[in-house]
Amino acid sequence: MALLNLHLKVWRQKNNEDEGRFVDYNIQDISTEMSILEMLDVLNEKLIKEGQEPVAFEHDCREGICGCCGIFINGRAHGPLKRITTCQLYMRHFKDGETIVLEPWRAKGFPVLKDLMVDRSAFDRIIAAGGFVAVNTGGAPDANAVPIPKHNLEKALDAAECIGCGACVAACKNASAMLFVSAKVSHLVRLPQGKPEREKRVFAMLNQMEKEGFGSCTNTEACSAECPKGISMDVIAQLRREYFRASVRQEKE
Amino acid sequence: MALTGLFLYIFLIEHLIANLLLLNNDNGEAYTIYAEVLGSAYNIPLRIIEFGLFFFLLYHATNGTRLWITNRNAKGIHYFVNRASENSTFFSRFMIQSGSVIFIFLVIHLRSFFVHYRLETPDDTMYQGVVKAFENPLYSWFYIIAMILLAFHLVHAFQSAFQTLGLRHNKYTPFIKSFGVIFSILICAGFALIPVYFLYINNTGGH
Amino acid sequence: MKLDSKIPAGNLAEKWSNQKFNYKLVNPANKRKYEIIVVGTGLAGAAAAASLAELGYKVKAFCYQDSPRRAHSIAAQGGINAAKNYQNDGDSVFRLFYDTVKGGDYRSREANVYRLAEVSSNIIDQCVAQGVPFAREYGGLLDNRSFGGAQVSRTFYARGETGQQLLLGAYSAMMRQVGLGNVEIFPRSDVQDIVVIDGRARGIVLRDMVSGKIESYIADAVILATGGYANVFYLSTNAKGCNATAIWRAHKKGALFANPCFTQIHPTCIPVSGSYQSKLTLMSESLRNDGRIWVPKDPNDKRPPNEIPESERDYFLERKYPSFGNLVPRDVASRNAKEMIDDGKGVGLTGKAVYLDFAEAIQRLGKDSITEKYGNLFEMYEQITNEDPYKVPMRIYPASHYTMGGLWVDYNLMTTIPGLFALGECNFSDHGANRLGASALMQGLADGYFIISYCIGDYLAQSKKDKLTTDAPEFKQAEKDVSDKINRLLNVNGSKTVDELHRELGMVMWDYVGMSRNAEGLTKAKKMIKDIREDFWKNVKIIGTNEEINQSLEKAARVADFLELGELIAEDALQRMESCGGHFREESQTEENEAKRDDENFSHVAAWQYNGADKPEVLHKEQLQFEFVKPSQRSYK
């Protein structure tokens, strides 16, 4: 275990109306065994004691599954490592004396609420538009009634691993939510249970995505590269196929 | 974008094959015949294709610009530090820039060849025009740089078009990706060969 | 107060069917006239919100996170139990019921547990219909794994992310109802009080976490599904935001709190590395199938683990429990690790860990086979500790994980406040003194999908509609109380941060009210908690105002409640002078230092009634009847 002295450049913004600015902080004796969020805890404790306002940042489970945390760290969504969330980034990956720049996710669809916190409720509205299988509780057939090939199941699960953190939108130069939308479309369409609504779903979710102000996909693949769950570009290709299929098949309502 | 892009790809291949006729050491005979056939006002199917080509090109350019604007707006504020090179290729992030230069190039290119030899009344053959144009190092180098940018554009464009069409599979996608890179570079190198040839190798042809 | 559990008469297997038939129904056309508030959007909350909205009720769902999908149910790794008997290995509803009652060390209600086992199969059907991708065999049928405390394979799973997949299923079912206009969601809402009017729960008061506004919402019934209170220990495997505020407020408004001392400590967590540690990460219990737990025999042995020869290692679980070895239940494994550490044999820099060694398993099965089984856990461990468990033994330490105690509810999941229901981990009902692995998900979804929809209809059908609004004096009073509390917190302006004080509380809870408890320590803890509470109200420092996002203020309000709940946990632990399940009283052990239950005096649910600030709470007892399972002493020798 070693101790680091660091220079932080943190985006501070009082609320959605405030313009925001970077504020510099120096912080000493940070253990390499800390997570970056624990480093921020230490900074906040120090700020509170000095009578200054602590840095607001989103976090909850701190084990990489809830999808709350998300900071743009030194120019990368969730920091310099691949396939982890912000809370899983440990300080041993930084050097003594290094400057760490912390910015909130940037996208029109994710307005900044305060400091490093953004509003990702657009994702909820996209799911509400069609990211489900329309079954009511009760009356479901036996779980083994419809066999599902293991291969399909595994692929569906690969897509279903999305934690909705928004790193895909943050990393995308177009602020496109395509990976998020595609992951859900892909998860459901690969299962027999999701097939009856496949045409309706793809249109509904894409429409909502556009309404929320997200950009469109230009295949830079940054989303997939920064996705903490490693969701593949395959899902976007699958969404495209679903879209074409639905365009041809869907009857006018 | 994908469909128009792939169509433009086909055009590029055709154009390149024709251009390579310029390298045939026959003082432009083959090329002149080609230019005449192509330019013949009675070749109705060709005229239709030509019209389609212009339409697709314009659509590709305007739609690309529109996308760029909406996507830029969707991003809003940009990052203070952004290490995009860690997650995406250089080519993929600068499509509008490479596309814009290519568009300017096309305007000039069409002015000097298409407009001149097809719409005006030329006093020389197209072959002579080509040779003359490439004697000017400024023009040649502009041409070469435009081709390099075209290569940038195409390297991303080729595989991206397949992705957009949903044609992605771990069996053939790696092939599409590497084929796209090689193919795009070859096409652009082929085009760039013409000015290099006339500027440095055969700079007496037209005289 | 007489506690009536309202267990229906009849044979065990018929109770629930009879009860469902006896419940009064709300006419389908009338359902949309009833409004229901659901607090918490984890498995229980989201499932309840979805199912009730599907029936036609108007539901308002509240959560403190930025999205309902983030509730901590999402972190459950292992799986969900159900008595499907797909493996043809002799499972049945009765066996699942039996295992759960036994696993809970005979401190749960038979009727509730049987109902849980009964509906367990429906949960799997429902989830599959929603598109939850449970693991399958090559033939396309569902796969199962086995879990602690059971001799059959009945656990359904989706890689190591079962909780996530189930939660996303429930969340999407709820979001569908949001799209249809039957559910309204209120994320970033910190529920601060429960409003009771004419003896019935009628609404909530919350703080909007963005604007700071104190807002009231009225309904015909209120459902709490807010999860457990393990964060009273500061360090736990719970999410940072998990809190007891809603249930504690409900308790103060008259809901009895049952068995608060029944908390579960999980033996295989990644140990604390320093004082800045903010949370503990759990690693699946399955590691104990192949890992061997040991400490050096000599407390002064500070050599690296690989240099300590076999003969100088103490494989203490294998030594003490030859038949179960490293696979003893959670509480036994945890307690023994603590014992070793208390004897000074702990390993690592902090001395607060024991080794979990895979060297022998790697030699026996090959590295590939270990990777296949535990690869992702090994990766996670290395990511956090920077040590390669293929080469160096893992270091593990127990951590507070789950709370079996919670609001007392009757068979209809209703608390002692009419119209206030408690679902999932926040009620006390099904796990007794110890929860078995993969049963928490089962309970949350059973309550949410298949139980509450019946119970609540019965309640609503018997309650009269009225024209009350949030202008009622009870709401105004509650709003004022909340505002006063917030202002009080903001005005202390002391010198300690909320986290500092929370850590102090956690330390006391862990040391005296943790894995091993005794009268002296508990009495001391009660006093210490009281002191920290006083210190808190004199010395806490919160920067900023109420009218903005203020994370310190949010935390402070939660810790203020933990500081009261902590004392009740200690009191309950003090009064329960027996050892059972997760509750180990040093005074009550067998000659071989094992937990000794006292069925004669403690076969009851301890339900506590709030009696005013700083006054001792009143204890009520619900006697437990065991008609179908015969309590026996657990032995793992």
Side-chain angles (χ1 to χ4, degrees):
Chain A
M1 188 184 81
L3 295 177
L4 309 173
N5 294 331
L6 298 162
H7 179 74
L8 304 176
K9 208 172 179 61
V10 185
W11 182 259
R12 302 300 310 261
Q13 182 175 340
K14 211 157 173 47
N15 51 44
N16 191 235
E17 268 108 63
D18 184 22
E19 258 196 2
R21 66 213 61 84
F22 279 102
V23 178
D24 292 26
Y25 301 99
N26 286 314
I27 185 158
Q28 277 82 36
D29 299 333
I30 293 300
S31 158
T32 47
E33 303 301 302
M34 282 184 197
S35 72
I36 193 160
L37 296 187
E38 284 167 346
M39 183 275 287
L40 284 176
D41 289 341
V42 172
L43 172 72
N44 279 346
E45 296 264 292
K46 184 174 153 237
L47 290 177
I48 292 171
K49 295 239 165 179
E50 289 168 359
Q52 298 183 57
E53 204 170 319
V55 179
F57 62 91
E58 203 103 58
H59 65 99
D60 204 23
C61 79
R62 296 208 178 188
E63 51 184 280
I65 191 75
C66 76
C68 267
C69 63
I71 305 178
F72 210 74
I73 303 161
N74 281 352
R76 303 277 303 278
H78 292 306
L81 303 190
K82 295 215 161 170
R83 298 205 64 164
I84 54 161
T85 57
T86 300
C87 64
Q88 294 172 304
L89 177 62
Y90 281 78
M91 295 310 291
R92 70 178 76 95
H93 301 292
F94 295 93
K95 285 193 272 311
D96 191 33
E98 191 172 341
T99 297
I100 305 178
V101 182
L102 303 173
E103 298 175 75
W105 285 171
R106 293 292 187 193
K108 273 274 163 64
F110 288 168
V112 174
L113 291 174
K114 184 175 186 175
D115 299 343
L116 303 171
M117 291 169 80
V118 298
D119 179 2
R120 287 169 292 193
S121 55
F123 274 9
D124 288 330
R125 291 186 290 275
I126 293 175
I127 296 294
F132 48 75
V133 176
V135 288
N136 286 353
T137 305
D142 186 89
N144 261 347
V146 186
I148 304 174
K150 191 178 171 73
H151 173 76
N152 278 358
L153 192 281
E154 295 295 330
K155 285 274 183 190
L157 190 46
D158 285 343
E161 282 188 348
C162 169
I163 56 173
C165 66
C168 46
V169 174
C172 177
K173 73 180 181 68
N174 307 331
S176 172
M178 200 64 150
L179 194 69
F180 172 78
V181 173
S182 304
K184 188 45 70 183
V185 166
S186 172
H187 157 210
L188 294 176
V189 83
R190 282 190 177 274
L191 300 173
Q193 290 80 7
K195 288 214 160 73
E197 297 162 273
R198 63 197 286 188
E199 288 100 4
K200 207 173 145 208
R201 179 181 306 121
V202 66
F203 285 132
M205 291 184 76
L206 283 174
N207 283 344
Q208 190 64 35
M209 168 178 126
E210 207 179 313
K211 254 190 235 165
E212 298 290 348
F214 294 108
S216 51
C217 177
T218 55
N219 304 330
T220 67
E221 309 196 359
C223 53
S224 174
E226 298 293 18
C227 174
K229 296 292 153 189
I231 292 174
S232 148
M233 287 296 288
D234 291 357
V235 298
I236 298 187
Q238 187 167 27
L239 176 128
R240 303 278 195 191
R241 293 197 293 276
E242 282 302 307
Y243 182 81
F244 294 136
R245 184 182 186 281
S247 305
V248 176
R249 292 203 177 197
Q250 202 195 30
E251 289 173 27
K252 284 241 161 70
E253 281 177 19
Chain B
M1 297 301 285
L3 287 174
T4 51
L6 285 178
F7 180 84
L8 294 172
Y9 235 103
I10 296 170
F11 164 72
L12 280 178
I13 297 167
E14 184 275 333
H15 194 346
L16 177 65
I17 293 168
N19 277 14
L20 291 177
L21 293 175
L22 287 166
L23 304 183
N24 197 357
N25 210 352
D26 59 357
N27 245 338
E29 247 173 70
Y31 186 74
T32 309
I33 297 169
Y34 162 78
E36 272 168 13
V37 173
L38 200 68
S40 154
Y42 306 106
N43 200 336
I44 305 290
L46 264 181
R47 289 293 77 76
I48 295 173
I49 292 172
E50 198 171 74
F51 182 78
L53 178 64
F54 275 109
F55 177 78
F56 285 146
L57 184 70
L58 280 177
Y59 175 83
H60 192 84
T62 48
N63 196 41
T65 313
R66 185 189 61 82
L67 273 178
W68 177 70
I69 293 168
T70 44
N71 286 341
R72 229 184 120 76
N73 284 339
K75 193 70 191 169
I77 301 173
H78 289 259
Y79 294 108
F80 178 69
V81 180
N82 191 356
R83 296 205 180 135
S85 56
E86 301 281 340
N87 58 38
S88 52
T89 61
F90 172 82
F91 316 109
S92 70
R93 296 194 306 274
F94 293 95
M95 290 300 273
I96 187 75
Q97 289 81 353
S98 55
S100 305
V101 176
I102 295 161
F103 189 77
I104 295 166
F105 165 78
L106 279 178
V107 172
I108 297 170
H109 184 67
L110 287 171
R111 171 72 196 84
S112 29
F113 295 101
F114 183 78
V115 175
H116 183 63
Y117 292 101
R118 295 277 288 283
L119 305 179
E120 297 174 356
T121 359
D123 50 9
D124 55 354
T125 66
M126 203 157 174
Y127 178 77
Q128 288 165 333
V130 170
V131 174
K132 194 158 167 260
F134 287 136
E135 271 175 2
N136 178 355
L138 210 62
Y139 188 89
S140 290
W141 275 106
F142 175 59
Y143 191 101
I144 292 165
I145 289 165
M147 286 310 111
I148 292 170
L149 283 166
L150 181 63
F152 278 15
H153 201 78
L154 295 183
V155 163
H156 174 66
F158 192 77
Q159 51 98 5
S160 175
F162 284 89
Q163 166 76 14
T164 300
L165 295 174
L167 299 169
R168 185 187 179 96
H169 193 280
N170 54 14
K171 272 190 190 147
Y172 57 70
T173 295
F175 171 75
I176 289 179
K177 285 197 171 183
S178 33
F179 177 79
V181 174
I182 297 165
F183 190 49
S184 304
I185 292 173
L186 278 181
I187 287 185
C188 298
F191 278 114
L193 195 60
I194 317 282
V196 172
Y197 176 76
F198 285 110
L199 199 58
Y200 298 110
I201 300 166
N202 179 6
N203 50 7
T204 54
H207 296 277
Chain C
M1 185 185 284
K2 170 96 178 67
L3 285 176
D4 181 3
S5 58
K6 302 201 177 127
I7 294 170
N11 199 346
L12 196 55
E14 290 154 12
K15 283 181 196 285
W16 181 229
S17 315
N18 291 345
Q19 183 82 340
K20 281 193 285 187
F21 181 73
N22 290 329
Y23 277 147
K24 296 201 168 47
L25 299 172
V26 178
N27 177 313
N30 283 340
K31 286 200 176 98
R32 65 188 152 80
K33 294 177 189 156
Y34 287 100
E35 287 197 82
I36 298 168
I37 283 173
V38 179
V39 184
T41 56
L43 287 182
S51 319
L52 293 170
E54 285 159 10
L55 287 172
Y57 297 110
K58 292 288 170 199
V59 178
K60 288 191 166 77
F62 299 82
C63 65
Y64 72 81
Q65 298 91 341
D66 73 321
S67 159
R69 67 181 291 156
R70 312 227 189 268
H72 199 55
S73 306
I74 206 161
Q77 299 170 350
I80 176 167
N81 288 332
K84 277 282 195 188
N85 193 29
Y86 280 160
Q87 305 305 325
N88 193 31
D89 56 1
D91 198 10
S92 63
V93 169
F94 194 86
R95 190 177 295 280
L96 174 55
F97 153 74
Y98 178 87
D99 287 348
T100 309
V101 172
K102 182 183 172 208
D105 219 357
Y106 308 98
R107 290 295 172 263
S108 47
R109 256 189 223 141
E110 281 189 329
N112 284 53
V113 178
Y114 192 86
R115 174 177 63 185
L116 174 67
E118 210 178 327
V119 302
S120 64
S121 287
N122 303 38
I123 298 172
I124 304 303
D125 298 342
Q126 183 60 30
C127 294
V128 166
Q130 287 170 345
V132 171
F134 284 125
R136 287 181 184 257
E137 305 273 12
Y138 280 101
L141 301 185
L142 287 156
D143 190 19
N144 290 110
R145 55 165 66 142
S146 52
F147 238 72
Q151 286 162 307
V152 292
S153 283
R154 62 159 77 98
T155 306
F156 294 81
Y157 66 99
R159 292 187 190 148
E161 311 143 349
T162 318
Q164 181 200 22
Q165 295 310 318
L166 293 173
L167 181 64
L168 293 182
Y171 158 78
S172 59
M174 179 174 79
M175 293 315 284
R176 170 175 164 241
Q177 294 301 320
V178 170
L180 294 170
N182 300 325
V183 174
E184 207 181 332
I185 54 168
F186 297 84
R188 297 192 194 274
S189 296
D190 224 355
V191 173
Q192 293 293 320
D193 211 350
I194 311 297
V195 179
V196 181
I197 301 179
D198 295 334
R200 294 169 52 205
R202 289 306 303 274
I204 54 169
V205 173
L206 59 84
R207 177 177 177 273
D208 180 316
M209 291 158 78
V210 178
S211 68
K213 280 200 192 93
I214 307 300
E215 292 168 350
S216 289
Y217 292 89
I218 190 166
D220 297 287
V222 177
I223 294 172
L224 299 182
T226 56
Y229 50 87
N231 270 348
V232 71
F233 291 90
Y234 183 69
L235 286 180
S236 81
T237 63
N238 281 12
K240 292 296 283 176
C242 291
N243 66 82
T245 293
I247 54 170
W248 190 249
R249 298 282 127 186
H251 175 56
K252 285 181 146 184
K253 286 283 170 87
L256 264 53
F257 206 118
N259 298 336
C261 79
F262 286 167
T263 58
Q264 186 171 70
I265 310 281
H266 197 290
T268 50
C269 293
I270 299 176
V272 176
S273 64
S275 60
Y276 46 80
Q277 186 96 22
S278 62
K279 96 146 248 161
L280 295 170
T281 304
L282 180 125
M283 283 184 303
S284 171
E285 198 162 23
S286 61
L287 287 172
R288 286 195 282 142
N289 282 315
D290 287 303
R292 295 178 73 196
I293 296 174
W294 63 274
V295 290
K297 278 183 181 161
D298 176 7
N300 299 317
D301 194 342
K302 296 294 165 213
R303 285 175 290 176
N306 293 338
E307 289 173 21
I308 300 177
E310 262 325 279
S311 59
E312 292 172 43
R313 298 177 177 189
D314 180 11
Y315 293 91
F316 54 94
L317 290 178
E318 294 171 23
R319 170 171 59 81
K320 289 166 80 173
Y321 308 94
S323 65
F324 274 70
N326 295 298
L327 283 173
V328 290
R330 288 177 179 180
D331 55 325
V332 180
S334 300
R335 217 159 34 240
N336 278 283
K338 179 182 163 25
E339 213 174 278
M340 292 298 137
I341 288 160
D342 289 348
D343 289 350
K345 293 178 185 167
V347 299
L349 278 177
T350 56
K352 286 201 169 162
V354 297
Y355 289 125
L356 175 62
D357 199 337
F358 288 87
E360 189 261 345
I362 291 172
Q363 209 170 29
R364 179 164 45 93
L365 304 164
K367 192 180 164 188
D368 290 347
S369 149
I370 294 295
T371 307
E372 196 179 306
K373 276 184 171 166
Y374 311 113
N376 58 339
L377 292 166
F378 277 35
E379 253 174 59
M380 182 174 83
Y381 179 83
E382 187 171 359
Q383 191 183 77
I384 294 176
T385 62
N386 206 25
E387 284 176 358
D388 180 0
Y390 291 104
K391 293 181 186 140
V392 187
M394 281 187 179
R395 287 171 295 114
I396 55 162
Y397 194 61
S400 166
H401 176 54
Y402 185 89
T403 52
M404 284 73 69
L407 291 181
W408 184 91
V409 290
D410 61 19
Y411 187 75
N412 308 316
L413 300 182
M414 190 148 81
T415 66
T416 46
I417 301 175
L420 182 71
F421 297 82
L423 272 55
E425 190 179 350
C426 82
N427 74 26
F428 88 103
S429 71
D430 297 347
H431 306 297
N434 176 49
R435 178 179 66 76
L436 289 182
S439 282
L441 303 183
M442 170 172 70
Q443 189 218 343
L445 289 179
D447 288 0
Y449 284 132
F450 296 106
I451 301 175
I452 188 64
S453 36
Y454 297 96
C455 311
I456 211 161
D458 184 58
Y459 168 77
L460 291 172
Q462 295 176 68
S463 63
K464 279 196 204 84
K465 283 295 289 180
D466 54 33
K467 297 218 158 54
L468 272 179
T469 66
T470 52
D471 291 330
E474 288 85 349
F475 275 100
K476 294 294 144 203
Q477 183 60 43
E479 283 175 22
K480 190 179 169 299
D481 292 346
V482 171
S483 289
D484 287 351
K485 183 183 170 191
I486 288 171
N487 288 333
R488 224 181 118 201
L489 283 168
L490 287 170
N491 289 330
V492 175
N493 200 18
S495 58
K496 285 184 171 175
T497 65
V498 180
D499 281 348
E500 265 180 296
L501 288 152
H502 194 177
R503 266 195 291 267
E504 284 178 28
L505 168 68
M507 215 78 101
V508 173
M509 294 301 294
W510 185 248
D511 287 346
Y512 301 104
V513 200
M515 277 178 275
S516 181
R517 304 157 170 176
N518 62 51
E520 193 194 341
L522 290 167
T523 316
K524 196 169 156 195
K526 274 176 62 186
K527 168 84 176 56
M528 288 169 87
I529 296 167
K530 214 171 167 176
D531 292 345
I532 299 172
R533 191 164 66 228
E534 275 167 24
D535 190 30
F536 175 89
W537 286 103
K538 270 189 219 138
N539 257 324
V540 72
K541 186 178 176 83
I542 301 161
I543 307 286
T545 64
N546 174 52
E547 286 72 33
E548 60 179 336
I549 294 176
N550 190 335
Q551 293 177 314
S552 316
L553 178 61
E554 292 160 15
K555 271 193 272 188
R558 291 166 190 166
V559 173
D561 292 331
F562 280 138
L563 282 165
E564 293 175 8
L565 170 60
E567 195 182 334
L568 181 65
I569 298 175
E571 176 63 28
D572 185 43
L574 188 61
Q575 296 298 327
R576 189 171 283 278
M577 289 177 285
E578 63 159 350
S579 297
C580 63
H583 171 64
F584 185 78
R585 279 291 296 267
E586 288 161 15
E587 299 92 331
S588 175
Q589 42 185 317
T590 63
E591 280 158 19
E592 293 141 325
N593 303 97
E594 295 307 323
K596 197 168 129 202
R597 237 179 29 239
D598 178 358
D599 288 338
E600 207 166 302
N601 295 307
F602 292 97
S603 185
H604 63 246
V605 176
W608 297 88
Q609 185 184 9
Y610 184 74
N611 197 29
D614 288 319
K615 283 196 197 127
E617 300 218 356
V618 182
L619 174 62
H620 301 270
K621 291 177 185 170
E622 178 200 338
Q623 285 304 323
L624 292 167
Q625 313 293 337
F626 291 94
E627 288 177 63
F628 306 94
V629 186
K630 195 120 198 76
S632 61
Q633 198 73 33
R634 295 191 305 172
S635 171
Y636 299 96
K637 287 283 170 189

